[in-house]
Amino acid sequence: MKDFINALYRNHSLAYKVLLFFSTTFLIVYLFPKSGKFKYNFDKGKPWQSENLLAPFDFAIKKSSEELEKERLALTQNSPVYFDINTTIEADVFEAYKTQFREVIVDSTRSFDQRLYNIGIEILVDLYDPGILDEDYNYEADKKVVLLENQVQKEEALFSDFTSLNSFRSITERQLDLKGYSKYAPSLISLYFDIIKPNVKLNVSLTEKASQEELNKISPTRGSIEKGTLIVSKGEIIDANTYDILKSLQSEYESQVWTESGYNWVIFAYTVLVSLTLLMLLLFLRKYRMEVFLDNTKVTFIFFNIFLMIFLTTLIINYNSKYVYVIPLCVLPLVFKAFFDARLGLFAHVLTVLLLGFVVPNSYEYMFLQIIAGIVTILTVSELYKRANLFISVGQITLIYIIAYFAFFVIHEGSVNNLNFETFGLFILCGLATLFVQPLIYIYEKVFGLVSDVSLLELSDTNTKLLKELSNKAPGTFHHSLNVANLAEASANEIGANAMLVRVGALYHDIGKMKNPTYFTENQSTGINPHDELSAKESAKIIIDHVIDGIEIAKKNNLPDRVIDFIRTHHGSSLVYYFYNKEKELDEDLDKEEFRYPGPKPFSKETAILMMCDSVEAASKSLKEPSTPKIDKFVESIIGKQMESGQFLNANITFKEIQSIKKVLKIKLANIFHLRIEYPE
């Protein structure tokens, strides 16, 4: 057990990657549809692209949603509504009418008008035949109504036969006008307002129950297809009926996979494919981006972004698949290019699109559009810290989306008559969402501790607190750093390295000299050399310690690790030759390691460039009467010694690239020393 724990501890980084691999695979598979995927793509009104399709099993033809809705509406309209009637209310109203009529309705002689009384009775009979509703109900006039008295059916009627509380006034006025008693309308209506009460009320529970019984009679299918029946032939246009049959087959196929033991096989198949995809990513990192592979934070960052894009896309598809193109998938290569490089960004983007092919509808079209857009993103986006570049690139990406989608539409439809401009709007929204990459990069920098070109641009400002402090405490070192930065940037541009990164690294590589600035030649303005009072070993220790001091200062000021790497490696494991030779004159058995920088050696093109430029620029101050041949020989000598001591063995830099850097340094030094052709007197 102890051996197992020790082995696990020694390989904890690999164990973490294995755990990350399996957890990401599980999460992605969890988001995938839990059923078989119908292997045919089809659209109504378009030709069938595959071979002749025969029914693989017996299945029912499902009605379309439009058909089902039409049947529901028809049955709902035909199903009766039930109302309860209270007959005692009508009797009470007639009794109240008899009692109050003589008090309210009188003529000019104050005599009883029997005819008017009888007309009032007739109007009440009409109003209560079949009854007065307690409120306004939203039913059609010809809606069938069943009247219930004490839960027993009394009679049937139409909804238009009933009187509403709002309509009895107009009915009364019309009847009185026909009888020639219109002058009594206000008085009789006032009486009716006092005595009339509704006697018909909707029986909600019984009505809903009857409606539901009718809806339950609806069959979700219309006919069936027997096994072996030809469904559609190759090249045949898919009409509405064939489309419904194909949708029924698709639904039946997927539901069968869901309900049978094949479900487990689907999950297993998804797991295998997702695992293979993520494994390809890990193998790519291990072979071509070892520094990323060894950094668990960066690997986690890559896996997290891939999962995030799959999660967002799945979320949108579950809501409404037509909005799938709103997801700014091109953010993925943009982010990876900002923090890593274009090759890794494109590779991860393509793998993500392949995984999304299991989720999205019209997967081939979607994958083609997204891969093309990803390639355009990688090719067009440069210097992301420049806002104009981002806007231009996003515009180009959006244009590519629109052009590619238009081409697919024409291929499918054969014309542009029914072009859906709403999809173009979705592409524009996608482009606007892609602009969110700037704040997203900032968030990722803070969460994962990564560095992008935007941060490097901020750090390259010489007005930052740390560089201002360097210029005040060690002005000679600050000037040296500026010169090295210019040389390193030009060299990086020459071989295609990250010029912004190497410039920032050059600006900060000697900040450790702030601790003891006067012990370094470039800061000795008084002509007094403090090393004269120290032994060679003590002097060498102070010189070597500026690397350690620089790392401490950088960490204290929260400089990114990528910048600290330049401080750590700019002298590699080289010797402090001057003090080593001085001490060797006194002690032949001197240990070299006491005069050697702790390292490590440069492990990237950028750190190797800085080492060359730093050594050349520092030593160039000792050149007397510089000339072009002297400078050439001088550069060759310094870089040659570094190569002989194996300082660049860990860096992925080629001999050809070193030769190019030498050429740049020779030209730049010649310009610094203002060398010109000597003209004859």
Side-chain angles (χ1 to χ4, degrees):
M1 184 66 182
K2 184 178 179 181
D3 294 338
F4 173 76
I5 294 175
N6 290 335
L8 187 64
Y9 179 77
R10 287 193 302 271
N11 298 285
H12 68 280
S13 179
L14 182 60
Y16 174 81
K17 290 182 181 66
V18 172
L19 179 63
L20 179 66
F21 174 82
F22 282 112
S23 58
T24 307
T25 301
F26 169 79
L27 290 172
I28 292 175
V29 171
Y30 178 78
L31 294 175
F32 280 3
K34 305 300 186 300
S35 61
K37 189 174 179 65
F38 195 54
K39 63 180 179 179
Y40 301 106
N41 290 321
F42 56 91
D43 290 295
K44 187 187 294 185
K46 298 176 183 178
W48 179 255
Q49 301 292 341
S50 304
E51 298 297 326
N52 295 352
L53 178 62
L54 302 178
F57 44 75
D58 296 339
F59 66 94
I61 304 173
K62 295 185 177 181
K63 295 177 183 176
S64 65
S65 57
E66 292 81 7
E67 288 179 300
L68 291 173
E69 185 61 27
K70 189 176 180 179
E71 288 189 29
R72 288 191 194 99
L73 287 174
L75 287 174
T76 303
Q77 290 173 355
N78 294 330
S79 65
V81 291
Y82 291 84
F83 282 90
D84 292 317
I85 186 168
N86 188 342
T87 54
T88 59
I89 291 177
E90 183 178 352
D92 293 342
V93 170
F94 277 93
E95 188 64 32
Y97 176 77
K98 292 177 183 178
T99 305
Q100 298 181 34
F101 179 82
R102 189 179 296 276
E103 298 175 2
V104 176
I105 309 297
V106 293
D107 61 8
S108 58
T109 61
R110 305 187 64 83
S111 61
F112 181 81
D113 191 331
Q114 185 64 43
R115 187 166 184 270
L116 178 61
Y117 175 83
N118 292 337
I119 292 172
I121 292 291
E122 292 175 3
I123 293 174
L124 282 177
V125 170
D126 289 341
L127 292 175
Y128 278 97
D129 184 22
I132 298 177
L133 299 170
D134 63 333
E135 60 180 89
D136 291 332
Y137 295 98
N138 189 24
Y139 291 113
E140 297 292 333
D142 59 348
K143 184 71 175 177
K144 183 181 176 182
V145 176
V146 177
L147 278 176
L148 301 173
E149 184 177 355
N150 298 323
Q151 299 298 316
V152 178
Q153 181 174 338
K154 179 183 179 183
E155 61 178 299
E156 294 183 358
L158 297 178
F159 183 74
S160 58
D161 296 337
F162 292 90
T163 304
S164 68
L165 284 172
N166 295 327
S167 65
F168 82 84
R169 181 190 186 98
S170 60
I171 294 173
T172 303
E173 289 176 344
R174 185 169 62 254
Q175 292 290 339
L176 290 174
D177 186 54
L178 290 173
K179 305 291 185 180
Y181 279 83
S182 58
K183 68 177 182 177
Y184 292 101
S187 300
L188 192 61
I189 290 172
S190 176
L191 173 61
Y192 283 170
F193 267 117
D194 291 337
I195 64 172
I196 286 180
K197 295 179 181 178
N199 67 333
V200 176
K201 183 179 181 181
L202 178 67
N203 190 318
V204 178
S205 61
L206 199 57
T207 300
E208 290 182 350
K209 182 180 179 182
S211 177
Q212 189 59 46
E213 286 178 354
E214 291 295 324
L215 292 177
N216 290 339
K217 296 177 183 178
I218 298 176
S219 172
T221 62
R222 52 173 180 84
S224 61
I225 301 293
E226 294 183 358
K227 180 179 179 180
T229 303
L230 177 64
I231 297 175
V232 62
S233 302
K234 184 175 182 180
E236 180 183 343
I237 300 298
I238 301 174
D239 56 21
N241 182 58
T242 306
Y243 181 78
D244 290 341
I245 295 174
L246 288 171
K247 292 297 288 185
S248 301
L249 176 60
Q250 180 181 13
S251 176
E252 186 69 21
Y253 174 81
E254 293 178 352
S255 64
Q256 282 186 4
V257 173
W258 174 271
T259 55
E260 297 175 2
S261 60
Y263 169 78
N264 295 327
W265 284 106
V266 171
I267 297 299
F268 173 75
Y270 275 143
T271 304
V272 169
L273 293 175
V274 173
S275 299
L276 283 175
T277 306
L278 297 180
L279 183 61
M280 293 304 104
L281 179 59
L282 287 175
L283 291 176
F284 173 86
L285 294 177
R286 190 174 184 277
K287 185 172 180 63
Y288 298 107
R289 299 292 181 271
M290 181 57 77
E291 71 280 4
V292 176
F293 180 80
L294 295 175
D295 192 326
N296 285 339
T297 301
K298 292 179 180 178
V299 176
T300 304
F301 173 74
I302 294 170
F303 276 60
F304 169 77
N305 275 275
I306 292 174
F307 170 75
L308 179 63
M309 285 301 167
I310 295 174
F311 173 74
L312 291 176
T313 305
T314 307
L315 206 64
I316 290 295
I317 288 174
N318 290 338
Y319 172 71
N320 193 333
S321 61
K322 75 176 185 178
Y323 297 119
V324 68
Y325 286 113
V326 174
I327 299 295
L329 202 63
C330 287
V331 164
L332 197 65
L334 278 174
V335 168
F336 287 161
K337 186 177 181 181
F339 289 117
F340 306 112
D341 60 82
R343 190 177 180 185
L344 173 57
L346 182 59
F347 190 83
H349 175 75
V350 170
L351 291 182
T352 305
V353 172
L354 291 176
L355 290 174
L356 288 174
F358 296 111
V359 181
V360 298
N362 299 324
S363 55
Y364 176 76
E365 176 183 316
Y366 177 85
M367 290 164 64
F368 184 90
L369 287 176
Q370 296 295 359
I371 290 175
I372 290 294
I375 293 172
V376 171
T377 302
I378 293 297
L379 295 178
T380 60
V381 176
S382 61
E383 298 178 321
L384 194 59
Y385 55 87
K386 295 182 180 178
R387 290 172 295 180
N389 287 356
L390 179 61
F391 278 96
I392 293 170
S393 296
V394 167
Q396 292 172 332
I397 295 166
T398 305
L399 182 62
I400 290 297
Y401 270 130
I402 292 173
I403 293 173
Y405 174 78
F406 174 79
F408 267 107
F409 184 88
V410 172
I411 291 172
H412 289 160
E413 298 291 337
S415 68
V416 295
N417 295 332
N418 299 320
L419 196 60
N420 187 5
F421 290 98
E422 182 183 354
T423 307
F424 293 160
L426 297 180
F427 289 136
I428 294 173
L429 288 177
C430 176
L432 294 175
T434 305
L435 295 174
F436 183 70
V437 71
Q438 284 283 23
L440 186 65
I441 287 174
Y442 177 79
I443 294 170
Y444 281 153
E445 286 177 339
K446 300 305 177 185
V447 174
F448 290 93
L450 301 172
V451 184
S452 69
D453 285 349
V454 180
S455 293
L456 293 176
L457 180 65
E458 295 173 356
L459 290 171
S460 67
D461 184 3
T462 54
N463 288 315
T464 58
K465 178 183 176 183
L466 196 55
L467 291 180
K468 270 191 171 183
E469 187 179 356
L470 178 63
S471 66
N472 291 330
K473 291 184 177 180
T477 299
F478 177 72
H479 185 262
H480 158 73
S481 298
L482 287 176
N483 289 336
V484 173
N486 292 330
L487 293 174
E489 184 176 18
S491 301
N493 284 325
E494 182 68 21
I495 66 170
N498 191 331
M500 180 62 72
L501 176 62
V502 76
R503 179 175 182 82
V504 173
L507 289 173
Y508 291 89
H509 78 283
D510 270 344
I511 56 174
K513 292 181 179 180
M514 285 192 293
K515 192 169 184 180
N516 298 297
T518 56
Y519 285 88
F520 299 91
T521 311
E522 65 268 22
N523 299 313
Q524 296 171 359
S525 56
T526 60
I528 300 174
N529 189 346
H531 289 288
D532 294 340
E533 300 177 3
L534 301 175
S535 67
K537 285 187 178 180
E538 290 173 329
S539 296
K541 187 178 186 308
I542 292 174
I543 298 298
I544 292 171
D545 283 350
H546 88 273
V547 173
I548 306 300
D549 296 335
I551 294 172
E552 291 177 356
I553 294 171
K555 289 185 176 180
K556 185 178 179 181
N557 286 272
N558 297 318
L559 287 185
D561 288 339
R562 289 178 76 185
V563 177
I564 296 176
D565 287 339
F566 287 92
I567 301 173
R568 187 181 288 113
T569 62
H570 74 277
H571 283 295
S573 58
S574 59
L575 286 173
V576 184
Y577 286 104
Y578 177 79
F579 292 108
Y580 171 71
N581 291 330
K582 186 177 179 180
E583 184 68 17
K584 194 173 182 181
E585 293 176 359
L586 303 175
D587 183 4
E588 286 292 334
D589 298 326
L590 184 63
D591 184 8
K592 276 188 177 182
E593 297 307 313
E594 296 182 31
F595 294 84
R596 190 180 296 280
Y597 284 98
K601 297 175 181 179
F603 48 79
S604 66
K605 288 182 182 180
E606 288 77 16
T607 51
I609 289 171
L610 177 62
M611 181 182 225
M612 288 183 262
C613 295
D614 180 43
S615 300
V616 168
E617 201 285 331
S620 68
K621 297 295 188 293
S622 62
L623 277 175
K624 296 178 181 179
E625 298 181 0
S627 62
T628 301
K630 275 188 178 181
I631 290 175
D632 291 353
K633 185 178 179 181
F634 165 76
V635 171
E636 291 286 347
S637 173
I638 289 182
I639 296 179
K641 287 180 181 178
Q642 292 174 338
M643 293 176 67
E644 288 173 8
S645 61
Q647 297 300 318
F648 306 135
L649 291 178
N650 297 334
N652 58 335
I653 191 167
T654 64
F655 181 76
K656 182 180 179 181
E657 288 171 336
I658 294 175
Q659 292 299 112
S660 299
I661 293 170
K662 288 180 184 179
K663 182 179 177 182
V664 171
L665 293 178
K666 291 171 185 177
I667 295 172
K668 287 291 182 181
L669 286 180
N671 292 334
I672 291 172
F673 289 109
H674 303 287
L675 297 180
R676 293 182 175 87
I677 299 172
E678 294 184 8
Y679 294 97
E681 294 182 1

